[in-house]
Amino acid sequence: DAGVIQSPRHEVTEMGQEVTLRCKPISGHDYLFWYRQTMMRGLELLIYFNNNVPIDDSGMPEDRFSAKMPNASFSTLKIQPSEPRDSAVYFCASSFLRGETQYFGPGTRLLVL
Amino acid sequence: AQSVAQPEDQVNVAEGNPLTVKCTYSVSGNPYLFWYVQYPNRGLQFLLKYITGDNLVKGSYGFEAEFNKSQTSFHLKKPSALVSDSALYFCAVRDTPGGYNKLIFGAGTRLAVHP
């Protein structure tokens, strides 16, 4: 298995632009998680899905952030408009129902200028 | 609410010496506990987990962790540290026993192994 796949690996954009991050979970996994990691705030859970349905989006910082999971093999995290404070590494992770262990992707390093 | 604490921001150890990275937890019900490692510019990698059973859990790369219910601790250990073990280590607890798979992560402990 290829593991969790994220794209792009690096993204540099200007303030105000729309940013879309993509994730392909491990095949057969029922849960998908989006995290953000910064030096100041550490690892934060933004949102997670179970069977493509958003379960908890309380970690999404504001309305500029949105996430979708149109099918079991694809999810997006969108920031519109982006701001410099959104600069971070964004991770996607997936897990089995009742499997507990989350498997992380390599992350997308986002820099908003 | 479930929570974990990693009391040390950084741990320094000489290569070949034993290492311990500390984690304490607070849960209602039986704890589901995890350790992850993050190497520079990489995602988190699963090391080991405790669900039930033997209090000493063995994981990847020679790491092990000891579950101590009375002290509510789940410390990560390795008998002989390698320079390549230098990384950021996260302890985590599952948020809702029997429920969804949301994990609560600690702040992380940076392990530096010196030659």
Side-chain angles (χ1 to χ4, degrees), chain B residues 6 21-23 34-36 46-48 74 76 89-91:
Chain B
Q6 295 181 243
V21 183
K22 296 179 180 178
C23 172
F34 301 79
W35 276 103
Y36 284 81
F46 169 73
L47 276 179
L48 51 80
F74 189 56
L76 182 69
Y89 290 81
F90 291 95
C91 182

Side-chain angles (χ1 to χ4, degrees), chain B residues 5-85:
Chain B
Q6 295 181 243
E8 302 157 316
D9 291 336
Q10 178 151 335
V11 171
N12 296 295
V13 64
E15 187 175 29
N17 284 1
L19 70 87
T20 298
V21 183
K22 296 179 180 178
C23 172
T24 59
Y25 65 89
S26 174
V27 302
S28 55
N30 295 321
Y32 287 48
L33 297 159
F34 301 79
W35 276 103
Y36 284 81
V37 60
Q38 184 180 26
Y39 297 102
N41 301 313
R42 303 286 295 274
L44 277 70
Q45 295 180 31
F46 169 73
L47 276 179
L48 51 80
K49 67 180 177 183
Y50 173 84
I51 305 297
T52 186
D54 195 346
N55 290 344
L56 187 63
V57 180
K58 294 190 182 297
S60 306
Y61 312 121
F63 283 94
E64 57 189 26
E66 185 172 10
F67 172 69
N68 188 316
K69 188 173 183 178
S70 62
Q71 297 185 5
T72 61
S73 67
F74 189 56
H75 300 334
L76 182 69
K77 299 181 179 182
K78 188 174 182 182
S80 178
L82 300 172
V83 173
S84 57
D85 293 330

Side-chain angles (χ1 to χ4, degrees), chain A residues 9 31 33 35 37 43 45 48 50 55-56 91 95-102 104-106 109, chain B residues 32 34 36 38 41-46 49 51 88 90 94 99-103 105-107 110:
Chain A
R9 293 293 309 277
Y31 289 86
F33 305 81
Y35 292 88
Q37 186 179 36
L43 192 64
L45 176 64
Y48 72 99
N50 177 221
I55 301 301
D56 183 354
F91 290 105
S95 71
F96 281 117
L97 179 64
R98 299 193 186 91
E100 295 98 16
T101 302
Q102 293 183 20
F104 282 73
R109 188 172 296 273
Chain B
Y32 287 48
F34 301 79
Y36 284 81
Q38 184 180 26
N41 301 313
R42 303 286 295 274
L44 277 70
Q45 295 180 31
F46 169 73
K49 67 180 177 183
I51 305 297
L88 187 58
F90 291 95
R94 197 172 81 166
Y100 293 111
N101 281 359
K102 177 181 176 181
L103 293 181
F105 284 88
R110 189 164 300 280

